[in-house]
Amino acid sequence: GQTDDMNAKGQQDEPAAGKQPGEAAVALNVPKPELELPPKNALDYPAQRASWVRDFNGGDCFYATLTSATETAVEIEGLGTEVQPFERMLSDFQARFHLEPDISVRLIEPAQCEVTDFLRFLDQMPADKPQLALDRTTVPSGSPIGGTLVTRGGLISSVLLIDHRGMAFNLDGRILAQADKATFNFPIDLGAADKAAGKVVPQIIMVITGPQDIQAAAFSAPTPAALLLPRILEEIDTNRSEFSATAKYFRLGG
């Protein structure tokens, strides 16, 4: 009985301990926007458009993010199971801003949809997103996938692969940290059945970045994303810290 009590106490104490730094950080961040607002008479086009994209309701299994914006050109990357919501986004964006965005849609499997909810949730936080670039978007089975990750200093990143069956793999051990960036390069292979069927399937590499380690992201055995990602969100919510995430897509096989 005693150990149970101790565990329960320990668990209760942790969030409280985690709350204080979070609250301090929030208090520190509050005055910043007020300082910036008065000189800004001009409309902030990129910010306006980014928030429009973030708030667009594309239905279930839909995620879109603004990857670059100038006054005359806008690029949007999307993940979803259907193209149709992105077509609606394109026409609505054009009607609102009188500008046709360039939308790249990455079609994913229904088993990967948990990723879209996860990214949408973290996009509500103001934290800077990690920059993730893959060296290619189509990878023959058995070939390496490589990439580069850049984050703001002092932050901790967790790197996951979510495969076409919705299984999450921990890539932290594959990441090579350097002075100003991290890189990875590892071979990836389809299972025998998928390979025999000649399939080309979507894979997602996701980076989650924040001020502290995420315990739930320190897993070793492949875990369904539908179980793992809600656990990670719950922990982020409990810690009241600002986290952000970026996902990139590639097709494996052939």
Side-chain angles (χ1 to χ4, degrees):
Q2 272 183 314
T3 50
D4 287 352
D5 288 347
M6 282 166 70
N7 285 347
K9 272 187 196 143
Q11 282 165 351
Q12 282 165 355
D13 289 345
E14 274 169 31
K19 264 182 199 174
Q20 287 151 346
E23 281 165 6
V26 169
L28 288 174
N29 288 342
V30 168
K32 279 188 194 163
E34 291 166 22
L35 295 174
E36 284 174 14
L37 281 177
K40 273 195 181 174
N41 297 328
L43 284 173
D44 186 349
Y45 288 110
Q48 260 192 350
R49 289 161 183 180
S51 67
W52 186 94
V53 169
R54 190 182 60 229
D55 297 338
F56 182 84
N57 182 0
D60 291 338
C61 200
F62 174 93
Y63 173 73
T65 185
L66 195 88
T67 51
S68 91
T70 64
E71 279 186 44
T72 54
V74 167
E75 289 177 18
I76 295 168
E77 256 179 44
L79 293 172
T81 47
E82 295 172 0
V83 174
Q84 190 270 327
F86 294 97
E87 290 171 344
R88 185 162 58 81
M89 176 180 237
L90 189 141
S91 60
D92 288 6
F93 187 99
Q94 209 167 356
R96 169 76 177 77
F97 295 107
H98 311 292
L99 179 67
E100 185 174 330
D102 179 10
I103 303 182
S104 308
V105 182
R106 322 291 190 200
L107 290 177
I108 60 174
E109 295 288 338
Q112 295 169 309
C113 285
E114 196 68 45
V115 170
T116 63
D117 293 343
F118 185 87
L119 292 169
R120 274 208 313 272
F121 181 87
L122 285 190
D123 269 8
Q124 302 304 318
M125 294 191 176
D128 285 343
K129 286 186 181 194
Q131 293 173 299
L132 174 64
L134 301 184
D135 59 10
R136 50 183 170 170
T137 51
T138 306
V139 179
S141 193
S143 299
I145 176 72
T148 307
L149 165 65
V150 179
T151 64
R152 250 183 341 105
L155 297 179
I156 296 166
S157 296
S158 300
V159 187
L160 312 174
L161 171 82
I162 291 96
D163 76 1
H164 56 295
R165 299 178 192 279
M167 294 301 286
F169 298 80
N170 185 342
L171 297 183
D172 287 348
R174 308 274 194 169
I175 307 299
L176 188 67
Q178 295 166 14
D180 55 346
K181 63 181 178 185
T183 58
F184 54 88
N185 193 289
F186 58 91
I188 182 164
D189 215 347
L190 278 176
D194 286 334
K195 211 187 288 188
K199 283 190 176 175
V200 180
V201 290
Q203 312 285 305
I204 298 167
I205 291 184
M206 183 160 68
V207 181
I208 309 160
T209 298
Q212 64 215 74
D213 272 320
I214 302 170
Q215 302 301 315
F219 64 103
S220 48
T223 305
L227 295 176
L228 175 75
L229 296 183
R231 265 185 228 149
I232 291 175
L233 283 186
E234 198 178 326
E235 189 177 328
I236 287 172
D237 205 35
T238 304
N239 288 335
R240 297 178 64 171
S241 296
E242 280 187 7
F243 282 78
S244 61
T246 299
K248 291 290 177 189
Y249 161 107
F250 66 96
R251 288 161 58 78
L252 173 65

